[in-house]
Amino acid sequence: MSKHILGHFLNLLLPGQRCEVEVYAAPPGRALSQLLYNLALKQKAVQSSTSGSVGTAGKAVDRYRDANYQSGSCTLTNVQSDPWWRVDLVNVYTIGTVMITNRQELENGLDGAEIWIGNSTTFSNPKSIRCAVISHISKGQVFYFPCNSMKGRYVTVFLPGSAKVLSLCEVEVYYGQMTAFMSGCF
C-alpha cells in the first residue's frame, strides 16, 4: 500500500544495495494514480521501417523496459535517412512526460533524436510541437523528458540524418504535469 507524503527531501539508505529509485510528485489536488497511467501502453505503434521480424514498432509499448535487443523487447528500423517511430494514443491528451528506455547495445544511438507531439500522423505538421531533443541517454538507461503539458494524440520519435538506425526499448507517455526523478542501479 502506498502513502501520499508531503515533503521536500527524500533520503534513502540501503546498505549494500545499489538499485533504481523513482520518485513521483503530483500537483496539489491531483491524485498521483491519475498521473502514473502510461497512455502509450499497448497502443498502436508504427515506424518508418522494420529490420527483421523481431524489432517491430509495438515492442516499444509492450511495458517491458528490458534494454537487451536479444530479449525481444526493442524496436529496430533499417539503416535509412530520417527514421521515425510513432504511437497513436487514440485520443488527444495533455502530455506531461515522455519516458524512453535506450538499448543496451547502442550507447549513442538516440543522440539527436527528437520527440514530437501533435494531432497529425505527420510530425512535421506546423501544429505539431517538439517536446525535446535527446542529447544523450546512456546505454540501457531510462530518461524522462518533461513536455510541459503539450496536447496531442500522436507521439513521434524522429532521428534526423542519413544512414541512421532507430531502436527504442520502451516509450511511456504520461498524462498531465508530472515531476519524476530517477537514479539507476550501479
Side-chain angles (χ1 to χ4, degrees):
M1 182 175 156
S2 65
K3 293 183 180 181
H4 296 246
I5 300 172
L6 295 176
H8 294 281
F9 301 100
L10 170 70
N11 293 321
L12 180 64
L13 177 62
L14 299 170
Q17 302 279 329
R18 300 180 92 170
C19 292
E20 177 178 303
V21 175
E22 296 183 20
V23 179
Y24 300 94
R30 302 283 302 267
L32 187 58
S33 61
Q34 291 176 322
L35 299 176
L36 294 180
Y37 179 73
N38 177 6
L39 300 168
L41 182 64
K42 305 286 186 185
Q43 296 296 355
K44 183 178 180 185
V46 294
Q47 58 192 20
S48 55
S49 65
T50 301
S51 179
S53 61
V54 177
T56 60
K59 299 291 183 173
V61 290
D62 64 0
R63 92 164 188 241
Y64 300 110
R65 292 183 184 173
D66 189 340
N68 183 342
Y69 179 78
Q70 300 306 319
S71 297
S73 185
C74 302
T75 70
L76 182 63
T77 66
N78 292 319
V79 176
Q80 65 183 93
S81 294
D82 304 326
W84 55 266
W85 174 94
R86 179 180 64 240
V87 63
D88 181 353
L89 304 176
V90 182
N91 294 303
V92 174
Y93 291 98
T94 301
I95 298 169
T97 302
V98 174
M99 183 184 81
I100 295 181
T101 303
N102 192 15
R103 207 171 124 181
Q104 181 66 34
E105 303 87 0
L106 296 175
E107 176 72 27
N108 301 313
L110 294 176
D111 292 2
E114 302 173 0
I115 302 170
W116 287 82
I117 296 172
N119 292 323
S120 170
T121 57
T122 306
F123 64 90
S124 59
N125 182 303
K127 294 184 181 180
S128 293
I129 301 170
R130 187 171 66 189
C131 163
V133 175
I134 300 171
S135 59
H136 184 73
I137 303 175
S138 297
K139 61 182 180 177
Q141 296 298 304
V142 180
F143 201 84
Y144 294 83
F145 298 92
C147 293
N148 299 320
S149 300
M150 295 177 176
K151 292 186 180 195
R153 173 178 172 171
Y154 300 97
V155 176
T156 302
V157 179
F158 165 67
L159 184 58
S162 59
K164 298 283 187 171
V165 172
L166 180 61
S167 186
L168 303 162
C169 292
E170 195 67 19
V171 177
E172 299 174 51
V173 179
Y174 293 98
Y175 175 80
Q177 297 174 349
M178 181 170 89
T179 304
F181 302 93
M182 190 191 100
S183 69
C185 295
F186 303 101

